[in-house]
């Protein structure tokens, strides 16, 4: 296939929610009145963000999921995406599987694919996502308040656990733990409904992609706040929970979680727990926001400090 045949066969589909989608020099969209437009971009590079032998359908899913997770962190509804792909060669079977995984997730969230680009090069996948939230109501990193509870959704450390097993093989994971970790690593679930449900309940939120401790630190930095954070309250897989003290970085700083970390007033605890039950998403209270003078402390259940060798993933480390 040449470039244009590839686009027509696998990516030129009716664009949901758009005035004009794939096929022209630019797409045309019409945002909902009374809503702000949110825009985010993520790039995935072979060997840096995924293994060369990953299932193309799973990679299609993850390529979109990591972008939807950014919209979730803002409380925005994802509406449209553009996809840019660099391929080392034109492998029709690979592209078909990738497109299946990508569009399956797009259909689940009613997201329109409205354009993009293809070229030859090292396998690189870049998505720009556009979302909407009611004007002035978005969850932002700079809005945490002293006294807020600190929360996190789902479980932490599963993707990092699977990645370490694939790279080093030293964890000797049982089959169920490895399967759970690989599912998180290859097919993360963006918390879109939770993010939208937190509008009016939470003050600040962030997408957990590079490690919970580092990503939550962005909230504290932008909000100019400190925090007391409870390591033993961080939710994780049972196998990892039993070895919590041995592998603290996997849980607190591992990355590839795609959960939401957020702060909210203590008065909203019951409402947040009810929202989690309604959506079938676990939510865990893991600390409290303090004054900037108090600094940031990560402590165990006995109040002892927990040391991390690193705070999170760094693309240039």
């Amino acid at each position: 296939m040449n470039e244009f045949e590839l686009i027509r066969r696998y990516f030129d589909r009716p664009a949901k929610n758009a005035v004009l989608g794939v096929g022209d020099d630019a797409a045309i969209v019409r945002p909902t009145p009374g809503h702000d437009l949110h825009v985010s971009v993520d790039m995935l590079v072979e060997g840096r963000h995924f293994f060369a032998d990953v299932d193309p359908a799973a990679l299609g899913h993850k390529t979109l999921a990591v972008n939807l997770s950014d919209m979730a962190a803002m409380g925005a509804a994802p509406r449209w995406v553009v996809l840019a792909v660099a391929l080392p060669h034109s492998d029709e079977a690979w592209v078909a599987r990738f497109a299946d995984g990508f569009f399956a997730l797009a259909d689940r969230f009613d997201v329109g694919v409205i354009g993009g680009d293809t070229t030859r090069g090292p396998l690189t996948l870049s998505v720009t996502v556009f979302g909407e939230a009611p004007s002035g109501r978005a969850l932002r990193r700079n809005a945490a308040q002293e006294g807020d509870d600190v929360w996190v959704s789902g479980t932490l450390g599963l993707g990092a656990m699977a990645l370490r097993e694939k790279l080093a093989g030293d964890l000797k994971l049982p089959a169920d733990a490895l399967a759970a970790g690989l599912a998180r690593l290859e097919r993360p679930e963006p918390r879109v409904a939770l993010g939208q449900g937190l509008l009016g309940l939470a003050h600040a939120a962030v997408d957990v992609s590079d490690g919970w401790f580092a990503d939550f630190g962005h909230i504290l930095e932008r909000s100019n706040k400190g925090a007391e954070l409870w390591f033993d309250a961080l939710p994780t897989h049972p196998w990892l929970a039993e070895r919590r003290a041995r592998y603290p970085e996997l849980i607190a700083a591992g990355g590839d979680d795609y959960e939401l970390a957020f702060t909210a007033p203590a008065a909203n605890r019951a409402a947040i727990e009810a929202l989690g039950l309604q959506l079938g998403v676990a939510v865990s209270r893991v600390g409290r926001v303090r004054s900037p003078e108090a600094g940031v402390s990560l402590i165990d259940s006995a109040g002892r400090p927990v040391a991390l060798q690193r705070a999170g993933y760094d693309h240039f480390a």
Side-chain angles (χ1 to χ4, degrees), residues 3 6 11 44 63 82-89 94-95 98 102 116-127:
E3 176 185 0
L6 183 150
F11 299 105
L44 276 68
T63 300
V82 295
L83 169 66
V85 180
L87 297 168
H89 49 82
W94 190 97
V95 171
F98 175 87
F102 192 93
D117 192 22
T118 58
T119 190
R120 182 185 294 273
L123 184 55
T124 304
L125 309 158
S126 180
V127 171

Side-chain angles (χ1 to χ4, degrees), residues 25-109:
D25 288 303
I28 303 173
V29 299
R30 188 167 294 141
T32 304
H35 287 65
D36 293 329
L37 190 64
H38 296 245
V39 185
S40 180
V41 62
D42 261 305
M43 183 186 301
L44 276 68
V45 179
E46 182 181 341
R48 173 62 66 173
H49 300 101
F50 58 90
F51 293 102
D53 62 352
V54 68
D55 174 11
L59 183 57
H61 173 103
K62 184 171 184 174
T63 300
L64 180 56
V66 301
N67 285 268
L68 300 187
S69 186
D70 288 328
M71 291 295 105
M74 304 291 289
R79 298 273 282 165
W80 309 282
V81 297
V82 295
L83 169 66
V85 180
L87 297 168
H89 49 82
S90 178
D91 182 337
E92 186 172 356
W94 190 97
V95 171
R97 289 279 294 159
F98 175 87
D100 284 345
F102 192 93
F103 278 97
L105 189 62
D107 289 343
R108 273 182 54 198
F109 288 97

Side-chain angles (χ1 to χ4, degrees), residues 175-223:
D176 65 322
L178 179 60
L182 288 174
R184 176 63 58 85
L185 183 66
E186 297 178 355
R187 289 184 176 269
E189 182 63 23
R191 304 300 189 186
V192 173
L194 177 63
Q196 292 175 263
L198 288 172
L199 293 178
L201 293 178
H203 282 147
V206 67
D207 154 64
V208 180
S209 55
D210 293 329
W212 167 81
F213 191 76
D215 286 325
F216 185 71
H218 298 319
I219 288 180
L220 299 177
E221 179 182 9
R222 294 297 300 273
S223 298

Side-chain angles (χ1 to χ4, degrees), residues 122-146:
L123 184 55
T124 304
L125 309 158
S126 180
V127 171
T128 301
V129 60
F130 304 82
E132 299 178 322
S135 294
R137 295 189 60 203
L139 300 172
R140 297 175 56 175
R141 296 181 181 183
N142 65 353
Q145 297 183 19
E146 189 174 342

Side-chain angles (χ1 to χ4, degrees), residues 273-305:
E273 290 170 348
L275 176 65
L277 286 172
Q278 175 190 339
L279 298 176
V281 177
V283 288
S284 302
R285 193 160 52 90
V286 297
R288 59 175 173 264
V289 177
R290 304 192 301 184
S291 69
E293 294 77 19
V296 181
S297 61
L298 179 65
I299 59 175
D300 65 16
S301 57
R304 297 169 299 205

